[in-house]
Amino acid sequence: MSDRSHLIFAGKPFQFDAERDAEFEHLVKRYPTRESMILPALWLTQEQEGWVPAEAIAYIADRIGTFASMVYEAATFYTMYNLHPVGRNHICICRTLSCWLRGKQEIVDYLANEIGIRPGQISEDGRFSLEEVECLGHCGTAPVVQINGEFHENMDVEKLKQLLAGLR
């Protein structure tokens, strides 16, 4: 393994914590090439940090033995990876036609007016962030909202209010 001391994150070199390092070593044995570990390594990073900082992209590339641009390409292709900090409760709402036709914009407007966040923003208290994403694959039960990875279908403002009230 090469020296990664140049990969600085929050004043210290970025690296997986012990749990995720062990998981990485376990997973790498299951894949035909080390480059196949790009997506799992991004996911491990996001589990650890809550998002994927640039230093982690460089770390993953170094650890796998590939170019940072390949890791970055994967991280930017999939909406499940956050390349910037997010709130404790990260809300993703589908911006495609099915959700739009069934009231997605009313939900976005509610979040803007009542919580003070628009897509791409984090609430002042850090409790919520909002992101509009491409199709979440639940067109038949639109609009769909994903909060911290959990899908909520047939969403409307009243259901969202109840859901948000139960979050810390």
Side-chain angles (χ1 to χ4, degrees):
M1 214 176 293
S2 65
D3 174 24
R4 292 190 258 2
S5 60
H6 64 285
L7 305 174
I8 304 300
F9 175 64
K12 60 183 170 59
F14 177 86
Q15 59 188 28
F16 289 136
D17 59 23
E19 177 185 344
R20 282 158 188 92
D21 188 63
E23 181 68 12
F24 179 92
E25 291 302 324
H26 170 75
L27 289 172
V28 78
K29 296 172 189 166
R30 297 175 53 193
Y31 289 92
T33 67
R34 290 184 71 83
E35 283 183 347
S36 301
M37 277 297 296
I38 291 174
L39 297 181
L42 286 167
W43 194 252
L44 290 170
T45 301
Q46 187 159 290
E47 281 182 344
Q48 178 177 311
E49 301 298 326
W51 64 294
V52 180
E55 296 84 359
I57 288 173
Y59 170 82
I60 291 167
D62 188 55
R63 181 94 183 248
I64 290 173
T66 192
F67 298 101
S69 60
M70 288 188 72
V71 178
Y72 181 77
E73 281 178 0
T76 57
F77 180 79
Y78 296 100
T79 59
M80 65 188 175
Y81 300 116
N82 302 311
L83 298 180
H84 51 81
V86 296
R88 287 189 309 276
N89 298 291
H90 186 57
I91 304 166
C92 295
I93 187 161
C94 178
R95 66 173 159 216
T96 55
L97 186 60
S98 295
C99 287
W100 187 82
L101 287 172
R102 299 212 47 217
K104 169 282 260 204
Q105 193 58 46
E106 294 167 8
I107 295 167
V108 172
D109 292 344
Y110 168 78
L111 291 168
N113 295 328
E114 298 300 317
I115 296 178
I117 56 172
R118 296 198 177 279
Q121 295 180 336
I122 301 173
S123 62
E124 285 186 25
D125 60 4
R127 189 172 169 211
F128 298 104
S129 56
L130 177 61
E131 181 178 6
E132 284 185 314
V133 298
E134 291 306 317
C135 184
L136 290 169
H138 294 253
C139 300
T141 53
V144 64
V145 172
Q146 183 185 42
I147 302 177
N148 301 330
E150 187 174 319
F151 292 94
H152 304 276
E153 302 167 318
N154 294 306
M155 188 56 57
D156 60 29
V157 170
E158 287 308 311
K159 288 180 186 175
L160 183 66
K161 285 180 187 179
Q162 292 174 11
L163 185 61
L164 296 181
L167 300 174
R168 62 173 189 88

